Amino acid sequence: MRKPLVAALFALVITGAGAAPAVAAPEPAAAPVKSAVSSVVDTANKTVADLAAPAPAIQAVNFAGTVSLSNCSGSVVRMPASEDNDPALVMTNGHCLETGFPAAGQVLVDRASTRTFGLLNSAGTRVGTLRASKIAYGTMTDTDMAVYQLTTTYAQIKSTYGIDALVYDTARPTVGTPITVVSGYWKRTYSCAVDGYAYRLKEGSWTWKDSIRYTSACQTIGGTSGSPVLDNATGKVVGVNNTGNEDGGRCTENNPCEVDANGTVTVRPGINYAQQTWHVPACFGVDNKLDLTRSGCILPRP
């Protein structure tokens, strides 16, 4: 897994550049049927209209709603049906829990916690501290995910900091979807696309199902564990970043391998992965209460 960091060993300085969309020059007009004066006026009007037309909207992916943990990254998340007065939730990895790595087959539910999280704004500046009331859910079985319940509601976070929670997408991302991994720990983003899915991803004693495989551009590092994976087009959460094959090892810690339905093992050195989250909302009901018996909930049970 993208192991949590005990202390930062170095600082990363990230720069970004944006380019204004180009305006295509109008095509040469065909031989006019009407008068030359009318043709010139029409062409001028069309050119002015083209220049004044707004560019297509692009969903901006930024740090708003992400959080930094002592050793990992995370995000304030909500279900599509969550209400503003519901207790807010923070998502990260199961291997980022303060209680240590859950054993294979272990599922934690409703464990008391007072863990704190640094809330970031769109620029990646820490603007406040959020506190957990409990670990609502945590596991490294089938998936690598933890969800904390906070002592504050979504409305209180919005009122105090002007920041909205990130929303889970309930659709499975398709191959080729442009995505961004947003690390609150490093205040850094990684952009790439969904390259495909690992039927099973095995790392040490843990096995994860239907994991997202990134294209090679997402070179995530230690401390990015728990980062939300966002669909660039919608800004919604489609996964939680968790691991990568660091040095070509086969199915060992920090060197996960892919295992297909026939048991064939594939090692992809330098390739990184996330766990899907489209199924998470089915496991939370009214007041953001976890209910693993709800219809459609496929998260492992204790």
Side-chain angles (χ1 to χ4, degrees), residues 105-119:
Q106 183 180 16
V107 177
L108 306 179
V109 173
D110 291 335
R111 297 287 186 93
S113 175
T114 57
R115 193 168 194 180
T116 58
F117 312 90
L119 178 65

Side-chain angles (χ1 to χ4, degrees), residues 5 23 77 104 114 118 140 159 161 167 177 182 210 212 216 218 225-226 231 233 240 269 287:
L5 301 183
V23 178
V77 291
T114 57
M140 289 178 66
S159 175
Y161 306 109
V167 180
T177 298
V182 187
D210 204 22
I212 297 172
S216 59
C218 277
S225 290
D231 182 322
V240 56
D287 298 328

